[in-house]
Amino acid sequence: VACKHGNPCGVGSADNILDAWEKAFEADKISIYGGIVVVNREISLELAERMKKVFLEVVVAPSYEEEALKLLQTKKNVRLLELKDIDVPQPEDAYDLKKVNGGLIVQTIDSKLLIEDSLQVVTDRAPSKEELEDLKFAWKVVKYVKSNGIALAKNKQSIGIGPGQVNRVWATKQAIEHSLELIHEDATKGAVLASDAFFPFDDCVEAAHQAGITAIIQPGGSIRDEDSIKKCNEYGIAMVFTGMRHFKH
């Protein structure tokens, strides 16, 4: 995962860490500059050699090969952090603290990602096996995108992220525009879309269709859900409701 200013900018998942790095890097070669990279596997010398070519402020990993650590230590002004229990989730009763003028707001963390038994296909067409895997991946990405947040994914690679917009369709259009600009002009064809909260209107579905997106995952729960479902059915887009939403502020 590559992060910038509290948002993921490039995320990749693969059978090995080198391929995952390439996916994350290729997702957004611009925003990763001066960013933070977090990996959940040991950093090998080969991976360190690729990282050394990129200006990074922080690298976080569970461990480093000795030669990899030596190589990364030659980079100027980089913070190398070792987090051995990086895969261990926070306790469900952990607290999230927000600073406000004159005090703190305290709430429990958003500890759950997805309840798979609660997934509901609400359109005539169900997602394919490959689309469902990408939908779950995109949902994981969008959980950590500042709301209003949209994440696009294909082949377990983020291809466009729209964070922190004041309405959801702007976040959708931003994610699509970034994908077309940073990846290639056909990047969104066959991709999937994840939204951290429900669609208040069907305009996001319309924008997704125009971009060639074939499947959508979102919480559901809007009084206008039927508008989005109808629009998906019109365009042959598969839509899945999660029954839960993520708001990051």
Side-chain angles (χ1 to χ4, degrees), residues 1 10 36 40 82 109 155 191 206 221 244:
V1 180
I36 299 168
N40 61 358
E82 183 178 84
I109 63 169
N155 299 323
E206 184 67 44
M244 63 186 302

Side-chain angles (χ1 to χ4, degrees), residues 148-224:
N148 288 318
I150 295 289
L152 309 182
K154 187 193 294 186
N155 299 323
K156 293 189 176 181
Q157 177 190 29
S158 68
I159 62 168
I161 296 173
Q165 298 303 304
V166 293
N167 67 64
R168 199 153 296 279
V169 71
W170 285 2
T172 301
K173 290 178 178 179
Q174 183 185 65
I176 292 169
E177 289 168 2
H178 285 182
S179 180
L180 300 180
E181 178 183 352
L182 296 172
I183 308 294
H184 56 76
E185 61 183 11
D186 293 325
T188 55
K189 290 185 176 6
V192 306
L193 179 151
S195 174
D196 66 338
F198 59 64
F199 292 159
F201 306 103
D202 63 8
D203 48 6
C204 291
V205 177
E206 184 67 44
H209 166 67
Q210 294 298 326
I213 289 163
T214 59
I216 293 171
I217 189 168
Q218 57 126 323
S222 169
I223 60 174
R224 295 177 178 268

Side-chain angles (χ1 to χ4, degrees), residues 4-209:
K4 195 70 170 290
H5 302 304
N7 278 302
C9 59
V11 187
S13 177
D15 292 334
N16 64 77
I17 199 65
L18 289 174
D19 289 344
W21 157 263
E22 288 301 321
K23 284 183 175 182
F25 178 69
E26 292 293 332
D28 190 344
K29 296 179 182 178
I30 297 174
S31 300
I32 196 174
Y33 184 86
I36 299 168
V37 170
V38 182
V39 302
N40 61 358
R41 297 290 184 271
E42 181 173 77
I43 293 184
S44 64
L45 177 59
E46 186 175 358
L47 177 55
E49 289 171 341
R50 298 185 191 186
M51 286 182 166
K52 190 175 186 298
K53 299 174 184 178
V54 183
F55 170 50
L56 301 173
E57 294 274 9
V58 181
V59 178
V60 186
S63 59
Y64 301 78
E65 288 183 1
E66 183 177 351
E67 292 303 313
L69 183 59
K70 289 180 180 178
L71 179 63
L72 290 174
Q73 285 173 334
T74 65
K75 288 176 64 68
K76 291 184 178 180
N77 300 321
V78 66
R79 290 82 170 167
L80 304 175
L81 306 180
E82 183 178 84
L83 187 60
K84 293 184 181 296
D85 57 353
I86 198 168
D87 287 333
V88 178
Q90 288 182 283
E92 290 189 10
D93 58 354
Y95 289 115
D96 181 26
L97 307 179
K98 301 292 184 183
K99 182 180 179 181
V100 296
N101 189 21
L104 292 172
I105 295 175
V106 181
Q107 62 184 3
T108 53
I109 63 169
D110 181 8
S111 61
K112 296 188 185 302
L113 172 66
L114 187 68
I115 302 173
E116 296 212 20
D117 291 344
S118 297
L119 290 180
Q120 180 186 9
V121 178
V122 295
T123 46
D124 295 339
R125 185 176 80 81
S128 67
K129 180 181 178 182
E130 291 75 18
E131 285 174 329
L132 186 58
E133 287 301 307
D134 275 341
L135 287 170
K136 292 177 183 177
F137 175 82
W139 183 252
K140 186 180 294 186
V141 174
V142 84
K143 179 181 189 292
Y144 297 98
V145 175
K146 290 181 180 177
S147 195
N148 288 318
I150 295 289
L152 309 182
K154 187 193 294 186
N155 299 323
K156 293 189 176 181
Q157 177 190 29
S158 68
I159 62 168
I161 296 173
Q165 298 303 304
V166 293
N167 67 64
R168 199 153 296 279
V169 71
W170 285 2
T172 301
K173 290 178 178 179
Q174 183 185 65
I176 292 169
E177 289 168 2
H178 285 182
S179 180
L180 300 180
E181 178 183 352
L182 296 172
I183 308 294
H184 56 76
E185 61 183 11
D186 293 325
T188 55
K189 290 185 176 6
V192 306
L193 179 151
S195 174
D196 66 338
F198 59 64
F199 292 159
F201 306 103
D202 63 8
D203 48 6
C204 291
V205 177
E206 184 67 44
H209 166 67

